[in-house]
Amino acid sequence: MQQRIEELEKLTIKKYPEVKQLPEVERKRILITGGAGFVGSHLVDRLMADGHEVTVVDNFFTGRKRNVEHWIGHQNFEMINHDVVNPLMIEVDQIYHLACPASPPHYMYNPIKTIKTSSIGTLNMLGLARRVKARLLLASTSEVYGDPEEHPQNEEYWGHVNPIGPRACYDEGKRVAETMCYAYAKQENVEVRVARIFNTFGPRMHMNDGRVVSNFIIQSLKGEPITVYGSGKQSRSFQYVSDLVAGLIALMNSDISSPVNLGNPEEHTIMEFAQIIKDKIGADNEIINVDAAQDDPQRRKPDITKAKTLLHWEPVVPLSDGLGKTIDYFREEVKLLQNKN
Ligand code: NAD
Ligand code: UDP
Ligand code: UDP
C-alpha cells in the first residue's frame, strides 16, 4: 500500500528545477514581459533559480508555454496571458520589459502591431513602474543604430535608421521606447535601465524564427541549401543567451541609467557564419545566395567598453560552445517535428 502511495505521489508531484531559498528581504517580485519567449524564458530560469518571485506576462505571439512549463505550478511563479498594449495592474519591484517580436519576419508580419507593442506597450509598463515605484529595464536593440556609419558601435552613436523602410516598425519602435524611458525618468523619476542587445542565439529560439542562426542550423540539419541573403559580406556579432541574461541582471541591479550595449564583439560575415555552422554540424549541404533583404544593416559589432568598465560584464561563452548547445536543441526539435508528420 505504502509503495503504491509513493508511486502515485511520483506521478502527481511535479519536480521543479532547484531554487535558492532567499530571505524575505532579499526576495524581489519581478515581472518579465515577453517571458515565454526565447530570451525571456532563460531570464525566468535564472531569476527563479536565484529565489525570486517571477511573474511572466506574454500574449504568446512568438513565445510558447513550453519554454516555461517546467515552472508552472511553482509557488514563486505566475504566468499571465496578457497583451502589454492593454494596461496591467499588478504589484512588483522590478520589470524586465522584453515583450516585442524580435525576428524580422515576425516583426514585419504585422508592423502596426509591432509599433503598438513598442510604443503603447512600453508606455503602459512605464505607467505601471511609476505607480508601483518599480525599476524598469527595457530590452532595446542594436537596431537603434540602423545600418551604422560608425564601426564598432558605441552608446554615443545616434544611429542611421530609415524611418519608412520595412524594418522601421521595429527600429523606430525601440527608439521611441528608449525616448519614453528617459521622459519618464526625467519627468516622473522612474528608475530606468536600457540594454541595447546585439544578436543573440541559443536553445528555445523558435523553429520558424527566421533569424540567421536558427535558419542555417535547421537547413544544415535537414540537408537543405543554406540561404545567404545577398552577398553574405554583411557582418554580425553573436552572443550566447546565458551571457546576455547575466548582462541584463547586472544592468538591472546597477546604478547605470544610460543605455548599455550587451553583445559579443566577435564579428563574422554571414558567409563565414554559414560555413562555421555547416562545419560544426558536419553537413554537406550547399550554400546559395538569394535576394538581399531590404535595408539590411551591413556591419554590426558592439563596443562593450561601457559594460566591461561599469558592469564588470563581458561574454564568456565561446561561439563554438554556444553553437554546440543550440545545434543539440534544434536536432531534438527537428526530430520531434519529423515524428509528428
Ligand atoms: P521572442 O520573439 O522569442 O520573444 C518575445 C516575446 O514577447 C514572445 O514571448 C512574445 O509572445 C511576446 N510578445 C510579443 N508581443 C507582445 C505583446 N504585445 N504583449 C505581450 N507579449 C508580447 O524574441 P527574443 O529574441 O526573446 O527577444 C526578446 C526581447 O529582446 C525583445 O524585446 C527584442 O526586441 C529584444 N532583442 C532581442 C535580440 C535577439 O537577438 N534575440 C536582439 C536585440 C533585442
Ligand atoms: N498603466 C498601467 N498600469 C498601471 C499604471 C498605469 O498599465 O499600474 C498605464 C495607464 O493605463 C496608461 C499608461 O500606463 O495608459 C501611462 O500611465 P501614466 O499614469 O503615466 O499616465 P496617464 O494614465 O496619466 O496617461
Ligand atoms: N540572413 C541570411 N539568411 C537567412 C537569415 C538571415 O543571410 O536565412 C542574414 C540577414 O540578411 C542579415 C543577417 O543574416 O544580414 C542577420 O539576420 P537576422 O535576421 O538573424 O538578424 P538581424 O538582421 O536583425 O541582425
Side-chain angles (χ1 to χ4, degrees):
M1 184 62 183
Q2 185 57 30
Q3 194 186 345
R4 181 83 190 112
I5 291 172
E6 279 170 17
E7 275 168 13
L8 277 174
E9 272 180 357
K10 265 190 203 147
L11 285 176
T12 49
I13 295 176
K14 186 167 168 178
K15 283 258 178 291
Y16 296 103
E18 197 138 333
V19 161
K20 202 167 141 185
Q21 293 305 317
L22 271 189
E24 187 83 33
V25 283
E26 287 175 37
R27 201 183 317 144
K28 294 203 166 64
R29 298 162 304 172
I30 301 178
L31 165 64
I32 305 180
T33 73
F38 157 54
V39 174
S41 63
H42 288 279
L43 185 60
V44 169
D45 287 353
R46 254 297 300 276
L47 294 170
M48 283 293 295
D50 287 350
H52 297 291
E53 289 172 23
V54 175
T55 301
V56 163
V57 159
D58 204 296
N59 71 349
F60 303 106
F61 172 44
T62 52
R64 289 171 300 177
K65 269 199 192 124
R66 233 181 94 197
N67 289 341
V68 288
E69 70 180 349
H70 45 288
W71 294 116
I72 292 173
H74 192 287
Q75 58 176 359
N76 288 355
F77 182 76
E78 196 180 345
M79 187 156 69
I80 307 175
N81 185 339
H82 176 87
D83 193 314
V84 291
V85 165
N86 301 314
L88 175 71
M89 308 298 275
I90 56 171
E91 309 302 314
V92 288
D93 304 308
Q94 291 186 337
I95 303 169
Y96 287 86
H97 179 39
L98 275 63
C100 182
S103 94
H106 286 149
Y107 68 64
M108 288 179 201
Y109 170 76
N110 185 342
I112 297 173
K113 179 68 194 196
T114 302
I115 296 166
K116 282 188 188 167
T117 295
S118 268
S119 55
I120 305 170
T122 303
L123 182 84
N124 284 335
M125 292 310 104
L126 284 163
L128 170 65
R130 173 189 165 203
R131 183 179 61 81
V132 301
K133 299 195 171 24
R135 183 178 289 180
L136 179 142
L137 180 146
L138 171 72
S140 185
T141 168
S142 53
E143 295 275 331
V144 299
Y145 302 125
D147 187 7
E149 293 152 312
E150 279 183 20
H151 195 75
Q153 296 78 50
N154 70 37
E155 293 86 350
E156 301 302 311
Y157 179 48
W158 286 3
H160 180 222
V161 173
N162 174 0
I164 57 169
R167 302 175 81 98
C169 58
Y170 184 71
D171 302 3
E172 298 288 18
K174 290 287 185 179
R175 285 167 69 98
V176 82
E178 286 197 10
T179 309
M180 286 191 293
C181 283
Y182 293 108
Y184 267 81
K186 198 166 175 202
Q187 201 176 314
E188 304 292 346
N189 295 317
V190 172
E191 285 190 20
V192 297
R193 303 288 178 264
V194 172
R196 292 193 179 147
I197 303 170
F198 283 64
N199 296 66
T200 306
F201 72 97
R204 300 193 193 142
M205 289 182 92
H206 205 286
M207 278 280 276
N208 304 324
D209 190 88
R211 278 178 280 189
V212 71
V213 179
S214 44
N215 273 9
F216 287 3
I217 292 178
I218 293 165
Q219 287 161 346
S220 300
L221 289 173
K222 289 183 170 171
E224 293 168 359
I226 294 188
T227 53
V228 167
Y229 300 164
S231 68
K233 287 192 183 134
Q234 70 273 32
S235 71
R236 291 293 188 273
S237 310
F238 298 94
Q239 78 181 322
Y240 188 64
V241 66
S242 58
D243 282 334
L244 171 61
V245 164
L248 291 173
I249 294 172
L251 176 60
M252 171 65 103
N253 296 301
S254 76
D255 55 6
I256 319 300
S257 57
S258 56
V260 178
N261 286 343
L262 294 177
N264 190 324
E266 184 182 325
E267 183 185 12
H268 291 281
T269 67
I270 295 304
M271 191 52 92
E272 279 167 9
F273 202 61
Q275 197 61 50
I276 293 172
I277 290 189
K278 204 179 128 155
D279 292 348
K280 183 92 189 161
I281 292 178
D284 62 0
N285 51 339
E286 57 174 336
I287 299 176
I288 57 168
N289 294 88
V290 299
D291 288 346
Q294 198 187 327
D295 291 350
D296 200 358
Q298 290 307 296
R299 295 188 304 171
R300 192 181 286 154
K301 170 182 167 149
D303 178 337
I304 57 165
T305 312
K306 190 169 176 182
K308 270 183 171 170
T309 326
L310 299 179
L311 300 178
H312 310 293
W313 171 89
E314 65 182 310
V316 294
V317 180
L319 178 64
S320 179
D321 293 4
L323 277 179
K325 289 186 182 141
T326 314
I327 291 166
D328 288 347
Y329 170 80
F330 278 115
R331 201 171 264 129
E332 288 307 308
E333 290 291 288
V334 169
K335 248 192 249 162
L336 267 179
L337 205 74
Q338 280 164 348
N339 288 345
K340 261 191 204 162
N341 296 333

